Amino acid sequence: MMDNKKWWKETVVYQIYPRSFQDSNGDGIGDLKGILNRLDYLEKLGIGAIWLSPVCKSPQDDNGYDISDYQDIDPMFGSLADMDALIQEAAKRNIKIVMDLVLNHTSDEHPWFVEAKKGKDNPYYDYYVWRDGEPGTPPNELGSIFGGSAWEYVPELGQYFLHLFSVKQPDLNWANPKVREEIYHMINWWIDRGVGGFRLDVIDLIAKEPDRLITGNGPKLHEYIQELSRLTFRRADLLTVGETWGATPEIAKLFSNPDGSEFSMVFQFEHIGLDEQPGKSKWDLAPLDFMKLKHVLSKWQTELKGEAWNSLFWNNHDLPRIVSRWGNDGEYRVESAKMLATLLHGMQGTPYVYQGEELGMTNVQYPIEEYRDIELLNLHKERTDQGYPQEEIMASIYTKGRDNARTPMQWDATAEAGFTTGTPWIRVNPNYTSINAEQELTEADSIFYHYQKLIQLRKEHEVIIYGDYELLFPEDAHIFAYTRTLDGETIIVLCNFYGEQVPYALPDSLTGEKELLIANYKDELPQYLLRPYEARMYRLKVNP
Ligand code: NOJ
């Protein structure tokens, strides 16, 4: 069955982390004008939308995920006029701008919170989540995702407020209809400015019930989201994607119901947790369980079919670089980056490319003083206080720290990778002299052009967008392979996930004459073998 056609199913989204993308004024921080100057590069890549991490006014305690004015741009990034210009210039290149909506919490410097703290009879008091408690004894054991208690005491009020993230990110009270009304008004204001969609930060937390220790997927969640969607998103043909760490396929089907009552799709993270110790945190490392990865990604492909829509991603601003994580950032960096891209882009769903992924940018290993991320720095302090060996703490940071994704975009081999003429807010990955966009644009077989081709193939072959998915070789411990079929057209994707050559044997139904659509080795082996990290995508010429 063909899914309902939608523009956001057929596009590829590029995520920009503005402070690390391109600085235009030499202050060491990326900005909107910098993005504008790089639109031609993005058009060349072929993407149809940009997800911009937050650019609204913010004290930057969590790099913009702590907003103090939803209807203004942080001066560090530019002005509203720059934002309007970006929307317009992007539109000329058929690129839509998807804004990041942080609706679970505001900054503690947002005027609503400044007012709220003034007293229980202040009209804004009930915009946040307050509970009684004695100093030193929080209302309950709820913890902040960034470490420590989720409750902070305000002596003037003799009460605690809830913050599921940093103490400078107080949680909004969605049970208050006034809060919801203000938010809808703000979203409609952005829709009227011409944005093409929204990514909704930790949206599955908004219906928390802290007294029952419920944070994610609270009982009223879908009621709130349906109201939100009805009063805002449904006015326009938008791409909306919810960030939902706790989603199962069943939950995702509610969020991404084809009736359009909630979001276009969600980011689910089941595959992202497959290299940590079960039941522990992301910092407690374990080798990737490859068989589970195959199982999990395949499950999402088949379970959402016709009932919801997948987002496809390896990377974002919270995750380490995929080539360092599940590829090989040494000898096979180019091959493995292309393999991972092929594996993902052949699947059903909307692919997201995170800035620098298309260049095969890698993780970094810095001394602790060079890191900037609040989550990472809190973790370092917490585990140091708990007596963990430094080596173990740093191994977790090198492997999982969010700053891996946040080092500046590597544009060229000049000072600071062409990111800034000043001093960058975070150190540039020293490998920029060999890994950078300028270099890749001159090499026909670069990772950049591989991504460009994958994006182009999606435009040319409807089967990649709407076709059925079937996993091949489910028991194979090295190969991730699958087919996509639509109206008698078949695509075969074959990926060797590891650094040793492996044999394979296609089922009889797939041995017919094939057209090679894309590969990461120049020549084709005559035998049925896949070389280290080899990836091949074929189209069957004669269908079974
Ligand atoms: C999820 C965002 O992706 C992350 O960067 C941020 O720290 C938290 N939400 C809090 O807003």
Side-chain angles (χ1 to χ4, degrees):
M1 186 194 71
M2 167 87 85
D3 292 89
N4 288 334
K5 290 191 165 191
K6 296 278 184 212
W7 74 266
W8 43 260
K9 294 182 179 176
E10 302 182 359
T11 199
V12 174
V13 183
Y14 188 89
Q15 185 192 351
I16 290 183
Y17 197 63
R19 64 164 46 231
S20 301
F21 190 65
Q22 176 69 71
D23 180 19
S24 73
N25 61 359
D27 68 355
I29 300 169
D31 47 45
L32 293 175
K33 281 210 175 91
I35 298 172
L36 198 115
N37 295 338
R38 293 294 185 179
L39 284 176
D40 290 343
Y41 169 86
L42 298 175
E43 185 182 23
K44 185 167 186 145
L45 186 57
I47 53 110
I50 295 171
W51 155 24
L52 263 193
S53 277
V55 288
C56 290
K57 216 170 218 169
S58 159
Q60 303 288 325
D61 181 56
D62 184 20
N63 291 358
Y65 285 92
D66 48 317
I67 292 176
S68 55
D69 186 347
Y70 289 101
Q71 290 175 238
D72 205 355
I73 299 295
D74 196 284
M76 155 195 303
F77 295 128
S79 62
L80 267 177
D82 294 332
M83 186 67 189
D84 291 340
L86 179 63
I87 293 171
Q88 280 153 25
E89 283 303 311
K92 287 187 194 155
R93 295 162 176 83
N94 286 319
I95 296 174
K96 297 180 196 271
I97 301 292
V98 172
M99 297 239 345
D100 209 319
L101 278 177
V102 187
L103 306 179
N104 177 67
H105 44 266
T106 66
S107 162
D108 65 339
E109 296 179 37
H110 192 292
W112 297 341
F113 192 73
V114 173
E115 284 299 308
K117 271 199 315 193
K118 289 185 180 162
K120 292 181 185 161
D121 47 7
N122 188 287
Y124 292 95
Y125 168 81
D126 198 33
Y127 274 40
Y128 295 87
V129 182
W130 300 95
R131 291 293 182 272
D132 291 333
E134 294 305 316
T137 317
N140 63 30
E141 69 267 33
L142 262 187
S144 152
I145 292 161
F146 289 165
S149 170
W151 297 102
E152 179 73 8
Y153 189 66
V154 178
E156 301 89 293
L157 284 177
Q159 281 196 316
Y160 283 83
F161 70 86
L162 181 73
H163 61 93
L164 292 178
F165 293 89
S166 97
V167 68
K168 287 185 66 61
Q169 293 166 299
D171 279 58
L172 282 165
N173 176 18
W174 271 70
N176 180 349
K178 279 209 211 111
V179 169
R180 306 204 299 274
E181 231 174 80
E182 297 240 29
I183 286 174
Y184 305 156
H185 178 265
M186 172 276 286
I187 294 173
N188 284 323
W189 182 86
W190 278 112
I191 294 175
D192 293 341
R193 287 194 106 83
V195 302
F198 299 97
R199 176 262 188 187
L200 293 104
D201 190 64
V202 289
I203 197 70
D204 58 351
L205 301 183
I206 59 171
K208 68 216 77 171
E209 296 204 353
D211 304 320
R212 300 202 286 148
L213 303 181
I214 295 176
T215 52
N217 296 301
K220 291 201 143 181
L221 180 60
H222 294 280
E223 189 185 308
Y224 293 154
I225 293 177
Q226 283 165 23
E227 181 186 82
L228 158 71
S229 172
R230 184 163 44 82
L231 298 177
T232 61
F233 310 145
R234 299 193 78 167
R235 296 175 44 227
D237 188 14
L238 301 177
L239 181 161
T240 51
V241 52
E243 186 199 21
T244 57
W245 279 84
T248 59
E250 285 316 309
I251 294 176
K253 286 181 209 173
L254 300 174
F255 283 122
S256 157
N257 191 322
D259 71 5
S261 56
E262 299 198 10
F263 301 139
S264 314
M265 64 193 111
V266 290
F267 290 125
Q268 64 82 17
F269 293 86
E270 201 176 343
H271 59 301
I272 291 303
L274 296 179
D275 57 5
E276 63 198 40
Q277 295 167 35
K280 292 206 170 171
S281 79
K282 75 176 198 184
W283 306 106
D284 300 296
L285 310 177
L288 169 69
D289 186 335
F290 177 61
M291 299 310 276
K292 263 206 187 138
L293 179 71
K294 292 211 298 190
H295 169 76
V296 165
L297 289 180
S298 300
K299 176 180 81 179
W300 280 88
Q301 288 289 294
T302 48
E303 291 210 15
L304 296 202
K305 181 72 199 167
E307 295 187 64
W309 191 252
N310 267 299
S311 59
L312 304 171
F313 69 98
W314 293 128
N315 275 112
N316 67 32
H317 62 292
D318 294 329
L319 302 174
R321 296 278 178 184
I322 196 62
V323 70
S324 299
R325 187 181 193 178
W326 294 344
N328 172 315
D329 63 9
E331 186 185 355
Y332 292 113
R333 186 184 66 88
V334 173
E335 288 81 0
S336 64
K338 291 178 182 174
M339 180 278 289
L340 288 159
T342 311
L343 177 51
L344 199 73
H345 284 243
M347 289 188 175
Q348 183 168 58
T350 302
Y352 290 75
V353 180
Y354 178 70
Q355 63 183 45
E357 179 185 335
E358 78 283 12
L359 305 175
M361 276 178 61
T362 66
N363 282 352
V364 288
Q365 298 194 355
Y366 293 161
I368 192 67
E369 307 75 53
E370 301 266 10
Y371 288 103
R372 300 286 175 264
D373 172 32
I374 181 172
E375 183 195 49
L376 178 166
L377 296 173
N378 285 354
L379 176 275
H380 184 263
K381 184 173 180 316
E382 204 171 280
R383 292 210 163 173
T384 302
D385 292 348
Q386 288 165 0
Y388 280 70
Q390 279 304 305
E391 252 176 48
E392 191 182 325
I393 306 175
M394 293 314 289
S396 297
I397 289 174
Y398 297 157
T399 315
K400 291 289 180 72
R402 304 196 298 182
D403 280 341
N404 283 308
R406 300 176 180 187
T407 61
M409 180 73 176
Q410 293 165 212
W411 291 107
D412 57 41
T414 64
E416 311 302 356
F419 163 69
T420 181
T421 53
T423 306
W425 71 276
I426 186 169
R427 193 170 139 197
V428 175
N429 187 328
N431 65 18
Y432 74 91
T433 48
S434 54
I435 302 175
N436 62 66
E438 190 178 67
Q439 171 86 13
E440 295 209 19
L441 288 171
T442 63
E443 292 167 357
D445 61 352
S446 66
I447 302 171
F448 177 91
Y449 287 118
H450 193 87
Y451 271 85
Q452 185 193 55
K453 189 155 186 198
L454 285 170
I455 294 169
Q456 185 57 28
L457 284 171
R458 185 165 277 262
K459 293 177 186 161
E460 290 164 5
H461 299 274
E462 212 164 42
V463 57
I464 302 180
I465 300 165
Y466 295 109
D468 290 342
Y469 170 96
E470 196 183 330
L471 183 67
L472 287 174
F473 322 136
E475 308 304 331
D476 193 293
H478 298 90
I479 298 176
F480 198 141
Y482 56 87
T483 56
R484 303 289 309 283
T485 44
L486 180 74
D487 299 335
E489 196 181 354
T490 300
I491 299 271
I492 309 170
V493 177
L494 295 168
C495 294
N496 178 359
F497 212 82
Y498 290 99
E500 304 91 47
Q501 180 159 295
V502 281
Y504 67 98
L506 285 175
D508 289 349
S509 59
L510 300 177
T511 51
E513 208 191 327
K514 299 175 194 66
E515 174 194 358
L516 182 64
L517 296 180
I518 190 166
N520 61 353
Y521 279 76
K522 281 198 185 107
D523 53 333
E524 200 165 348
L525 285 185
Q527 319 89 325
Y528 280 135
L529 285 174
L530 290 174
R531 285 158 286 191
Y533 300 103
E534 183 159 7
R536 317 185 72 76
M537 187 188 285
Y538 293 102
R539 183 171 158 270
L540 259 195
K541 280 196 175 160
V542 185
N543 293 302

